[in-house]
Amino acid sequence: MSVVDLKVNGVSRRVDVAEGTPLLYVLRNDLELRGPQFGCGLAQCGACSVLVDGKEARACILSAADVAGQEITTLEGLPARWAKQQGLPAAADQPLHPVQQAWIDEQVPQCGFCQNGMMIKATELLEQTPSPSVAQIRDAFMDGPSPHLCRCGTYVAIVAAVQRAAAAMAKGKKR
Ligand code: FES
Ligand code: FES
């Protein structure tokens, strides 16, 4: 066992884990953050994704020790991340991140299993490319080097939700 200091959703968390324990297990089992899901365990589906220093990472293959000290954001931390980016104070009743709200408004999820990774990917995409084209969205989720798999086939709704979130984020940033 070894002690690992993590920074998750803006909070420092110390965990005592066996060497090589995947970040996903620490998030779900030790920190009770159940947004990230275990899908393939092989970095191929994206269900387990989190942001590490703003980049999407597959938590099933990263060891917790590998990301010690880096900024980890899970689905649960997206509202606070958005508030911080707008210069708003952290609050218990933080509104949802525009990506999460767009996912509700477009009724994207079907079974829901993959959707953690979809929203994490959308957040990464929109932070890097605030107004992506349909081709860029398709590249991020489907056609690029690290696709996200959805067995329910929600991709059409995902494109619409990313476009809706992009508009909301652009509006939010002008405030
Ligand atoms: S569970 Fe991590 S990519 Fe599939
Ligand atoms: S919503 Fe069911 S796998 Fe994507």
Side-chain angles (χ1 to χ4, degrees), residues 86-121:
Q86 290 187 297
L88 299 173
D93 58 347
Q94 214 93 63
L96 292 174
H97 189 289
V99 164
Q100 295 168 311
Q101 189 60 54
W103 248 245
I104 293 171
D105 293 342
E106 293 292 339
Q107 298 186 27
V108 178
Q110 290 190 32
C111 81
F113 197 81
C114 69
Q115 298 295 330
N116 164 74
M118 300 299 189
M119 286 182 270
I120 291 291
K121 185 70 193 180

mmCIF file of all heavy atoms in Angstrom, residues 86-121:
data_model
loop_
_atom_site.group_PDB
_atom_site.id
_atom_site.type_symbol
_atom_site.label_atom_id
_atom_site.label_comp_id
_atom_site.label_asym_id
_atom_site.label_seq_id
_atom_site.Cartn_x
_atom_site.Cartn_y
_atom_site.Cartn_z
ATOM 1 N N GLN A 86 -16.030 31.091 -14.740
ATOM 2 C CA GLN A 86 -16.771 32.357 -14.863
ATOM 3 C C GLN A 86 -16.446 33.322 -13.732
ATOM 4 O O GLN A 86 -17.036 34.397 -13.656
ATOM 5 C CB GLN A 86 -18.267 32.075 -14.847
ATOM 6 C CG GLN A 86 -18.758 31.372 -16.086
ATOM 7 C CD GLN A 86 -20.259 31.294 -16.055
ATOM 8 O OE1 GLN A 86 -20.819 30.660 -15.181
ATOM 9 N NE2 GLN A 86 -20.887 31.996 -16.957
ATOM 10 N N GLY A 87 -15.561 32.909 -12.831
ATOM 11 C CA GLY A 87 -15.199 33.769 -11.703
ATOM 12 C C GLY A 87 -16.255 33.823 -10.624
ATOM 13 O O GLY A 87 -16.271 34.750 -9.802
ATOM 14 N N LEU A 88 -17.140 32.794 -10.581
ATOM 15 C CA LEU A 88 -18.182 32.761 -9.555
ATOM 16 C C LEU A 88 -17.714 31.953 -8.359
ATOM 17 O O LEU A 88 -16.938 31.005 -8.518
ATOM 18 C CB LEU A 88 -19.466 32.133 -10.128
ATOM 19 C CG LEU A 88 -20.080 32.869 -11.318
ATOM 20 C CD1 LEU A 88 -21.230 32.058 -11.897
ATOM 21 C CD2 LEU A 88 -20.543 34.262 -10.904
ATOM 22 N N PRO A 89 -18.175 32.288 -7.151
ATOM 23 C CA PRO A 89 -17.753 31.526 -5.974
ATOM 24 C C PRO A 89 -18.361 30.121 -5.985
ATOM 25 O O PRO A 89 -19.439 29.920 -6.536
ATOM 26 C CB PRO A 89 -18.303 32.345 -4.799
ATOM 27 C CG PRO A 89 -19.424 33.139 -5.383
ATOM 28 C CD PRO A 89 -19.117 33.355 -6.831
ATOM 29 N N ALA A 90 -17.660 29.196 -5.357
ATOM 30 C CA ALA A 90 -18.200 27.838 -5.219
ATOM 31 C C ALA A 90 -19.416 27.907 -4.307
ATOM 32 O O ALA A 90 -19.417 28.622 -3.313
ATOM 33 C CB ALA A 90 -17.143 26.919 -4.639
ATOM 34 N N ALA A 91 -20.483 27.211 -4.680
ATOM 35 C CA ALA A 91 -21.698 27.210 -3.858
ATOM 36 C C ALA A 91 -22.315 25.830 -3.920
ATOM 37 O O ALA A 91 -22.143 25.094 -4.889
ATOM 38 C CB ALA A 91 -22.690 28.246 -4.395
ATOM 39 N N ALA A 92 -23.039 25.492 -2.841
ATOM 40 C CA ALA A 92 -23.629 24.154 -2.771
ATOM 41 C C ALA A 92 -24.662 23.951 -3.881
ATOM 42 O O ALA A 92 -24.817 22.858 -4.403
ATOM 43 C CB ALA A 92 -24.264 23.953 -1.408
ATOM 44 N N ASP A 93 -25.380 25.008 -4.226
ATOM 45 C CA ASP A 93 -26.465 24.870 -5.206
ATOM 46 C C ASP A 93 -26.025 25.354 -6.592
ATOM 47 O O ASP A 93 -26.784 25.985 -7.324
ATOM 48 C CB ASP A 93 -27.693 25.651 -4.747
ATOM 49 C CG ASP A 93 -27.368 27.129 -4.539
ATOM 50 O OD1 ASP A 93 -26.167 27.474 -4.514
ATOM 51 O OD2 ASP A 93 -28.314 27.924 -4.408
ATOM 52 N N GLN A 94 -24.782 25.048 -6.936
ATOM 53 C CA GLN A 94 -24.236 25.433 -8.236
ATOM 54 C C GLN A 94 -25.130 24.921 -9.364
ATOM 55 O O GLN A 94 -25.559 23.765 -9.333
ATOM 56 C CB GLN A 94 -22.867 24.750 -8.388
ATOM 57 C CG GLN A 94 -21.874 25.552 -9.154
ATOM 58 C CD GLN A 94 -21.031 26.381 -8.218
ATOM 59 O OE1 GLN A 94 -20.321 25.825 -7.408
ATOM 60 N NE2 GLN A 94 -21.126 27.666 -8.319
ATOM 61 N N PRO A 95 -25.445 25.780 -10.357
ATOM 62 C CA PRO A 95 -26.191 25.232 -11.503
ATOM 63 C C PRO A 95 -25.334 24.232 -12.275
ATOM 64 O O PRO A 95 -24.107 24.233 -12.140
ATOM 65 C CB PRO A 95 -26.484 26.472 -12.361
ATOM 66 C CG PRO A 95 -25.564 27.528 -11.885
ATOM 67 C CD PRO A 95 -25.143 27.188 -10.484
ATOM 68 N N LEU A 96 -25.979 23.424 -13.063
ATOM 69 C CA LEU A 96 -25.242 22.439 -13.851
ATOM 70 C C LEU A 96 -24.311 23.129 -14.842
ATOM 71 O O LEU A 96 -24.544 24.260 -15.259
ATOM 72 C CB LEU A 96 -26.222 21.554 -14.620
ATOM 73 C CG LEU A 96 -27.085 20.617 -13.785
ATOM 74 C CD1 LEU A 96 -28.100 19.921 -14.684
ATOM 75 C CD2 LEU A 96 -26.225 19.608 -13.039
ATOM 76 N N HIS A 97 -23.265 22.431 -15.222
ATOM 77 C CA HIS A 97 -22.405 22.878 -16.319
ATOM 78 C C HIS A 97 -23.284 22.931 -17.582
ATOM 79 O O HIS A 97 -24.179 22.090 -17.758
ATOM 80 C CB HIS A 97 -21.276 21.862 -16.487
ATOM 81 C CG HIS A 97 -20.192 22.287 -17.424
ATOM 82 N ND1 HIS A 97 -20.386 22.363 -18.792
ATOM 83 C CD2 HIS A 97 -18.905 22.657 -17.211
ATOM 84 C CE1 HIS A 97 -19.259 22.762 -19.367
ATOM 85 N NE2 HIS A 97 -18.342 22.952 -18.423
ATOM 86 N N PRO A 98 -23.047 23.903 -18.484
ATOM 87 C CA PRO A 98 -23.859 23.973 -19.706
ATOM 88 C C PRO A 98 -23.886 22.661 -20.493
ATOM 89 O O PRO A 98 -24.895 22.363 -21.153
ATOM 90 C CB PRO A 98 -23.182 25.087 -20.513
ATOM 91 C CG PRO A 98 -22.542 25.955 -19.488
ATOM 92 C CD PRO A 98 -22.112 25.030 -18.382
ATOM 93 N N VAL A 99 -22.816 21.902 -20.427
ATOM 94 C CA VAL A 99 -22.817 20.601 -21.118
ATOM 95 C C VAL A 99 -23.848 19.674 -20.476
ATOM 96 O O VAL A 99 -24.640 19.023 -21.171
ATOM 97 C CB VAL A 99 -21.406 19.962 -21.083
ATOM 98 C CG1 VAL A 99 -21.468 18.476 -21.423
ATOM 99 C CG2 VAL A 99 -20.481 20.690 -22.049
ATOM 100 N N GLN A 100 -23.873 19.624 -19.162
ATOM 101 C CA GLN A 100 -24.844 18.761 -18.477
ATOM 102 C C GLN A 100 -26.273 19.215 -18.775
ATOM 103 O O GLN A 100 -27.158 18.385 -19.015
ATOM 104 C CB GLN A 100 -24.566 18.772 -16.971
ATOM 105 C CG GLN A 100 -23.225 18.155 -16.606
ATOM 106 C CD GLN A 100 -22.841 18.427 -15.157
ATOM 107 O OE1 GLN A 100 -22.896 19.569 -14.697
ATOM 108 N NE2 GLN A 100 -22.437 17.385 -14.447
ATOM 109 N N GLN A 101 -26.481 20.536 -18.752
ATOM 110 C CA GLN A 101 -27.828 21.062 -19.021
ATOM 111 C C GLN A 101 -28.258 20.747 -20.451
ATOM 112 O O GLN A 101 -29.410 20.380 -20.702
ATOM 113 C CB GLN A 101 -27.844 22.585 -18.777
ATOM 114 C CG GLN A 101 -29.240 23.183 -18.826
ATOM 115 C CD GLN A 101 -30.174 22.572 -17.783
ATOM 116 O OE1 GLN A 101 -29.861 22.550 -16.596
ATOM 117 N NE2 GLN A 101 -31.315 22.042 -18.227
ATOM 118 N N ALA A 102 -27.316 20.880 -21.387
ATOM 119 C CA ALA A 102 -27.636 20.576 -22.791
ATOM 120 C C ALA A 102 -27.978 19.101 -22.955
ATOM 121 O O ALA A 102 -28.859 18.745 -23.751
ATOM 122 C CB ALA A 102 -26.453 20.956 -23.686
ATOM 123 N N TRP A 103 -27.295 18.255 -22.200
ATOM 124 C CA TRP A 103 -27.585 16.806 -22.283
ATOM 125 C C TRP A 103 -29.016 16.528 -21.832
ATOM 126 O O TRP A 103 -29.702 15.668 -22.377
ATOM 127 C CB TRP A 103 -26.581 16.019 -21.435
ATOM 128 C CG TRP A 103 -25.655 15.181 -22.239
ATOM 129 C CD1 TRP A 103 -25.575 13.828 -22.244
ATOM 130 C CD2 TRP A 103 -24.639 15.634 -23.189
ATOM 131 N NE1 TRP A 103 -24.598 13.404 -23.129
ATOM 132 C CE2 TRP A 103 -24.021 14.482 -23.708
ATOM 133 C CE3 TRP A 103 -24.220 16.876 -23.632
ATOM 134 C CZ2 TRP A 103 -22.998 14.525 -24.659
ATOM 135 C CZ3 TRP A 103 -23.213 16.943 -24.574
ATOM 136 C CH2 TRP A 103 -22.611 15.789 -25.073
ATOM 137 N N ILE A 104 -29.459 17.281 -20.815
ATOM 138 C CA ILE A 104 -30.855 17.113 -20.352
ATOM 139 C C ILE A 104 -31.807 17.681 -21.402
ATOM 140 O O ILE A 104 -32.780 17.035 -21.789
ATOM 141 C CB ILE A 104 -31.048 17.831 -18.999
ATOM 142 C CG1 ILE A 104 -30.239 17.130 -17.908
ATOM 143 C CG2 ILE A 104 -32.533 17.872 -18.623
ATOM 144 C CD1 ILE A 104 -30.181 17.887 -16.592
ATOM 145 N N ASP A 105 -31.502 18.886 -21.865
ATOM 146 C CA ASP A 105 -32.420 19.554 -22.791
ATOM 147 C C ASP A 105 -32.585 18.761 -24.091
ATOM 148 O O ASP A 105 -33.670 18.744 -24.678
ATOM 149 C CB ASP A 105 -31.923 20.968 -23.101
ATOM 150 C CG ASP A 105 -31.978 21.875 -21.872
ATOM 151 O OD1 ASP A 105 -32.706 21.526 -20.912
ATOM 152 O OD2 ASP A 105 -31.279 22.906 -21.852
ATOM 153 N N GLU A 106 -31.505 18.141 -24.547
ATOM 154 C CA GLU A 106 -31.584 17.353 -25.794
ATOM 155 C C GLU A 106 -31.962 15.892 -25.526
ATOM 156 O O GLU A 106 -32.044 15.098 -26.456
ATOM 157 C CB GLU A 106 -30.245 17.400 -26.546
ATOM 158 C CG GLU A 106 -29.871 18.763 -27.099
ATOM 159 C CD GLU A 106 -30.778 19.237 -28.238
ATOM 160 O OE1 GLU A 106 -31.445 18.395 -28.870
ATOM 161 O OE2 GLU A 106 -30.817 20.454 -28.474
ATOM 162 N N GLN A 107 -32.165 15.570 -24.246
ATOM 163 C CA GLN A 107 -32.534 14.189 -23.844
ATOM 164 C C GLN A 107 -31.620 13.163 -24.504
ATOM 165 O O GLN A 107 -32.071 12.223 -25.168
ATOM 166 C CB GLN A 107 -34.000 13.917 -24.204
ATOM 167 C CG GLN A 107 -34.938 14.851 -23.462
ATOM 168 C CD GLN A 107 -36.396 14.526 -23.669
ATOM 169 O OE1 GLN A 107 -36.772 13.392 -23.931
ATOM 170 N NE2 GLN A 107 -37.233 15.524 -23.547
ATOM 171 N N VAL A 108 -30.320 13.379 -24.291
ATOM 172 C CA VAL A 108 -29.328 12.527 -24.961
ATOM 173 C C VAL A 108 -29.331 11.082 -24.435
ATOM 174 O O VAL A 108 -29.382 10.148 -25.229
ATOM 175 C CB VAL A 108 -27.907 13.128 -24.820
ATOM 176 C CG1 VAL A 108 -26.885 12.205 -25.489
ATOM 177 C CG2 VAL A 108 -27.845 14.526 -25.438
ATOM 178 N N PRO A 109 -29.279 10.864 -23.106
ATOM 179 C CA PRO A 109 -29.062 9.487 -22.643
ATOM 180 C C PRO A 109 -30.205 8.537 -22.967
ATOM 181 O O PRO A 109 -31.369 8.931 -22.952
ATOM 182 C CB PRO A 109 -28.925 9.647 -21.124
ATOM 183 C CG PRO A 109 -28.567 11.079 -20.910
ATOM 184 C CD PRO A 109 -29.280 11.829 -21.993
ATOM 185 N N GLN A 110 -29.820 7.313 -23.254
ATOM 186 C CA GLN A 110 -30.827 6.247 -23.343
ATOM 187 C C GLN A 110 -30.592 5.336 -22.137
ATOM 188 O O GLN A 110 -31.116 5.598 -21.082
ATOM 189 C CB GLN A 110 -30.734 5.551 -24.695
ATOM 190 C CG GLN A 110 -31.234 6.509 -25.796
ATOM 191 C CD GLN A 110 -31.419 5.865 -27.130
ATOM 192 O OE1 GLN A 110 -31.755 4.686 -27.243
ATOM 193 N NE2 GLN A 110 -31.210 6.637 -28.176
ATOM 194 N N CYS A 111 -29.724 4.327 -22.243
ATOM 195 C CA CYS A 111 -29.440 3.569 -21.008
ATOM 196 C C CYS A 111 -28.568 4.386 -20.071
ATOM 197 O O CYS A 111 -28.582 4.195 -18.864
ATOM 198 C CB CYS A 111 -28.779 2.234 -21.332
ATOM 199 S SG CYS A 111 -26.993 2.350 -21.653
ATOM 200 N N GLY A 112 -27.768 5.304 -20.635
ATOM 201 C CA GLY A 112 -26.976 6.219 -19.825
ATOM 202 C C GLY A 112 -25.564 5.769 -19.511
ATOM 203 O O GLY A 112 -24.758 6.558 -19.005
ATOM 204 N N PHE A 113 -25.235 4.514 -19.792
ATOM 205 C CA PHE A 113 -23.965 3.988 -19.303
ATOM 206 C C PHE A 113 -22.749 4.727 -19.834
ATOM 207 O O PHE A 113 -21.787 4.950 -19.118
ATOM 208 C CB PHE A 113 -23.847 2.488 -19.628
ATOM 209 C CG PHE A 113 -22.790 1.824 -18.804
ATOM 210 C CD1 PHE A 113 -23.056 1.437 -17.514
ATOM 211 C CD2 PHE A 113 -21.506 1.646 -19.308
ATOM 212 C CE1 PHE A 113 -22.067 0.866 -16.724
ATOM 213 C CE2 PHE A 113 -20.517 1.072 -18.536
ATOM 214 C CZ PHE A 113 -20.798 0.683 -17.237
ATOM 215 N N CYS A 114 -22.796 5.135 -21.081
ATOM 216 C CA CYS A 114 -21.638 5.792 -21.693
ATOM 217 C C CYS A 114 -21.588 7.287 -21.440
ATOM 218 O O CYS A 114 -20.626 7.958 -21.809
ATOM 219 C CB CYS A 114 -21.677 5.578 -23.201
ATOM 220 S SG CYS A 114 -23.050 6.496 -23.970
ATOM 221 N N GLN A 115 -22.654 7.843 -20.882
ATOM 222 C CA GLN A 115 -22.833 9.301 -20.953
ATOM 223 C C GLN A 115 -21.883 10.098 -20.081
ATOM 224 O O GLN A 115 -21.624 11.276 -20.344
ATOM 225 C CB GLN A 115 -24.291 9.662 -20.649
ATOM 226 C CG GLN A 115 -25.276 9.067 -21.659
ATOM 227 C CD GLN A 115 -25.110 9.618 -23.077
ATOM 228 O OE1 GLN A 115 -24.703 10.760 -23.257
ATOM 229 N NE2 GLN A 115 -25.418 8.806 -24.079
ATOM 230 N N ASN A 116 -21.344 9.493 -19.020
ATOM 231 C CA ASN A 116 -20.297 10.195 -18.268
ATOM 232 C C ASN A 116 -19.174 10.624 -19.211
ATOM 233 O O ASN A 116 -18.782 11.790 -19.254
ATOM 234 C CB ASN A 116 -19.742 9.286 -17.173
ATOM 235 C CG ASN A 116 -18.416 9.798 -16.633
ATOM 236 O OD1 ASN A 116 -18.363 10.760 -15.898
ATOM 237 N ND2 ASN A 116 -17.302 9.168 -17.048
ATOM 238 N N GLY A 117 -18.688 9.670 -19.968
ATOM 239 C CA GLY A 117 -17.570 9.960 -20.869
ATOM 240 C C GLY A 117 -17.937 10.936 -21.966
ATOM 241 O O GLY A 117 -17.121 11.752 -22.394
ATOM 242 N N MET A 118 -19.187 10.865 -22.410
ATOM 243 C CA MET A 118 -19.630 11.777 -23.464
ATOM 244 C C MET A 118 -19.599 13.226 -22.960
ATOM 245 O O MET A 118 -19.155 14.131 -23.679
ATOM 246 C CB MET A 118 -21.047 11.415 -23.924
ATOM 247 C CG MET A 118 -21.180 10.016 -24.488
ATOM 248 S SD MET A 118 -20.140 9.768 -25.950
ATOM 249 C CE MET A 118 -20.731 8.170 -26.522
ATOM 250 N N MET A 119 -20.064 13.442 -21.744
ATOM 251 C CA MET A 119 -20.089 14.819 -21.207
ATOM 252 C C MET A 119 -18.684 15.312 -20.878
ATOM 253 O O MET A 119 -18.369 16.494 -21.052
ATOM 254 C CB MET A 119 -21.017 14.890 -19.989
ATOM 255 C CG MET A 119 -22.475 14.827 -20.388
ATOM 256 S SD MET A 119 -23.621 14.967 -18.996
ATOM 257 C CE MET A 119 -23.784 13.230 -18.566
ATOM 258 N N ILE A 120 -17.827 14.405 -20.410
ATOM 259 C CA ILE A 120 -16.432 14.793 -20.162
ATOM 260 C C ILE A 120 -15.766 15.159 -21.492
ATOM 261 O O ILE A 120 -15.057 16.179 -21.584
ATOM 262 C CB ILE A 120 -15.682 13.639 -19.462
ATOM 263 C CG1 ILE A 120 -16.198 13.456 -18.025
ATOM 264 C CG2 ILE A 120 -14.168 13.859 -19.505
ATOM 265 C CD1 ILE A 120 -15.863 14.579 -17.064
ATOM 266 N N LYS A 121 -16.011 14.360 -22.517
ATOM 267 C CA LYS A 121 -15.410 14.645 -23.827
ATOM 268 C C LYS A 121 -15.924 15.976 -24.366
ATOM 269 O O LYS A 121 -15.156 16.776 -24.920
ATOM 270 C CB LYS A 121 -15.749 13.516 -24.809
ATOM 271 C CG LYS A 121 -15.067 13.653 -26.146
ATOM 272 C CD LYS A 121 -13.590 13.405 -25.998
ATOM 273 C CE LYS A 121 -12.795 13.814 -27.204
ATOM 274 N NZ LYS A 121 -11.367 13.563 -27.017
#
